Amino acid sequence: MAKRGGPKTVGVSHRYHVTPGVFANSLVSVVDNSGAKVARVISVIGNRSHGVHRKIHNAGVGDMIVVSVVEGRPEVRKQKLRAIVVRQRRPFRRHDGTWVAFDDNAVVIVSEEGQPKGTEIHGPIAMEAAQRWPQIASLAALVI
């Protein structure tokens, strides 16, 4: 059996397939109290499609992305930060056969190691993100 992840793996090294719903240049809402309100997706961390011509990088629930803060407090605006996708509007299928979709695309700002910068998360988060990032699950009020 092949090993999962490598020496530079952050968080849980593997995830089940989730239909991607957040793409490069998407506007997403930030649902923690780090000071950011709206962010623009720049790229996806760990995307292994280097060298693929005209590939649009995509992310699903539980993926780490790089964002640029568009709206929020002046000290966090125009900064490049890392974030975890906790909700996506596009429906995705779970292994038990249920389909899950949320009202918006939402992220939580984290550090490079995956530690959340805020102290609380507003609204529900997906179970896939909670399983992959337990630090985020401890701050969430509701896990769906």
Side-chain angles (χ1 to χ4, degrees):
M1 178 180 257
K3 294 182 180 179
R4 293 179 174 159
K8 294 185 179 181
T9 303
V10 177
V12 176
S13 61
H14 63 281
R15 73 173 176 97
Y16 297 111
H17 175 73
V18 173
T19 305
V22 179
F23 301 91
N25 213 21
S26 298
L27 287 176
V28 293
S29 59
V30 181
V31 293
D32 60 1
N33 59 354
S34 61
K37 298 296 180 195
V38 177
R40 184 179 302 277
V41 177
I42 296 174
S43 66
V44 181
I45 301 293
N47 199 324
R48 299 183 191 275
S49 62
H50 298 293
V52 178
H53 184 62
R54 297 175 64 97
K55 169 74 174 168
I56 298 173
H57 301 293
N58 49 36
V61 171
D63 288 341
M64 183 179 280
I65 59 177
V66 178
V67 297
S68 172
V69 178
V70 176
E71 291 180 18
R73 291 195 320 231
E75 55 267 14
V76 295
R77 284 190 67 233
K78 300 180 182 178
Q79 287 188 1
K80 289 197 299 186
L81 302 169
R82 291 192 181 205
I84 304 294
V85 179
V86 293
R87 293 196 296 257
Q88 76 178 22
R89 191 175 279 171
R90 179 169 175 108
F92 60 94
R93 185 176 183 271
R94 290 186 171 157
H95 285 288
D96 60 357
T98 59
W99 286 83
V100 179
F102 294 94
D103 290 339
D104 62 344
N105 296 325
V107 298
V108 173
I109 303 292
V110 295
S111 66
E112 300 233 354
E113 294 81 30
Q115 299 295 326
K117 294 219 175 168
T119 56
E120 72 178 86
I121 296 175
H122 309 293
I125 68 169
M127 182 178 59
E128 289 77 9
Q131 289 175 348
R132 191 167 179 199
W133 305 96
Q135 304 92 344
I136 292 175
S138 65
L139 297 179
L142 181 62
V143 177
I144 294 180

